[in-house]
Amino acid sequence: MGATISIAITVNGEARQVAAGASLSDLLAQIGLDIRKVAVERNLEIVPRSSYATTALVEGDQLEIVHFIGGG
């Protein structure tokens, strides 16, 4: 059984390790965020929600995730 290879990314200014080949959707699930309630910027570009599952994370990615919270 081989070891899982991980890559280093930055999420909201904090270093984080994720599995190599992980998608943006995988990361959001790992963090526990609902993809319908977040906006993601990757390397200074907004990622369309429709692309979360197909956006592969790579070593050195800089992500900013904004989580929307409803209230009233």
Side-chain angles (χ1 to χ4, degrees):
M1 214 153 123
T4 300
I5 298 170
S6 63
I7 58 171
I9 62 171
T10 303
V11 178
N12 293 354
E14 295 184 13
R16 188 173 193 101
Q17 296 285 321
V18 296
S23 70
L24 188 49
S25 288
D26 296 333
L27 172 66
L28 294 172
Q30 181 182 357
I31 295 173
L33 294 175
D34 183 339
I35 64 170
R36 297 168 298 174
K37 297 181 180 176
V38 297
V40 180
E41 181 184 270
R42 176 182 178 227
N43 303 325
L44 304 177
E45 291 187 16
I46 299 293
V47 179
R49 188 171 290 120
S50 61
S51 299
Y52 288 0
T54 57
T55 300
L57 299 173
V58 296
E59 182 81 26
D61 272 349
Q62 303 276 325
L63 301 170
E64 291 295 325
I65 302 173
V66 179
H67 184 223
F68 301 105
I69 300 173

